[in-house]
Amino acid sequence: MSEFPISRFDVPDIADLPDDIRDTIVAVQEKSGFVPNVFLAFAHRPAEFRAFFAFHDALMDSNEGLSKAERELIVVATSATNSCLYCIVAHGAILRIRAKNPLISDQVATNPVKADLSERERHIVEFALKVAGDSANITDDDLDDMRAKGFSDDEIWDIGAITSLFALSNRYANFAGIRPNDEFYGMAR
């Protein structure tokens, strides 16, 4: 465990949480072997915890369209643009696991243009970064271009929705100072 705080805000004790939130956190702990700090930080506000993780799970746990690795790729690329250390490190670990590639998250977070990506992955990252950095200027032509590259409307929506959710998440993590768990740094290396 780190000597540094998880968040700039109070982190509740797991035993004091509402049953549904405690059950969620315990299930994650049993699966991963530790409690990701974001769960504890968001538990500070139970209604926001429930809303955030419901939206997160709807987008990130879907088995339709984008692969789980492609979903994590979006998170890492856009979180790097948003300078979110927590999401780069935590989702970088998940990306390494899902992509079965120990290099991909570092490459994408550092310079996605030079990352070893497939053509499809490159199109996903390019569109996600446009959504992250210039969503007001996305046009029908941008959507048509993605369709011409073989993406379905649901996949295009998912790229935009994941980018949008993690813009929110990145800002929460940054202002609250949520620290990545030490465990994430060495995973799947």
Side-chain angles (χ1 to χ4, degrees), residues 8-19:
R8 293 182 176 122
F9 296 87
D10 291 335
V11 175
D13 188 272
I14 293 174
D16 298 331
L17 293 171
D19 291 344

Side-chain angles (χ1 to χ4, degrees), residues 140-159:
D140 290 343
D141 289 342
D142 294 308
L143 302 182
D144 288 342
D145 182 56
M146 288 297 285
R147 290 180 188 111
K149 292 173 179 171
F151 292 90
S152 70
D153 281 358
D154 283 341
E155 290 173 322
I156 296 166
W157 180 275
D158 282 343
I159 296 167

Side-chain angles (χ1 to χ4, degrees), residues 28-91:
V28 168
Q29 182 179 28
E30 288 173 356
K31 183 176 179 180
S32 65
F34 64 98
V35 177
N37 289 341
V38 71
F39 284 86
L40 298 172
F42 269 79
H44 173 76
R45 305 282 293 267
E48 292 171 30
F49 178 102
R50 290 181 188 104
F52 177 81
F53 284 106
F55 194 15
H56 173 280
D57 293 351
L59 291 173
M60 300 304 288
D61 291 343
S62 176
N63 290 318
E64 310 236 342
L66 301 175
S67 72
K68 299 271 173 86
E70 289 169 338
R71 292 168 191 276
E72 295 297 338
L73 179 65
I74 295 164
V75 177
V76 173
T78 61
S79 295
T81 293
N82 293 325
S83 301
C84 181
L85 180 63
Y86 185 89
C87 291
I88 294 167
V89 172
H91 289 274

Side-chain angles (χ1 to χ4, degrees), residues 114-136:
K114 295 194 177 186
D116 297 328
L117 300 175
S118 69
E119 185 176 348
R120 177 178 166 86
E121 290 167 336
R122 192 161 307 286
H123 294 317
I124 290 170
V125 168
E126 288 169 355
F127 187 70
L129 291 175
K130 184 164 188 178
V131 172
D134 197 20
S135 62

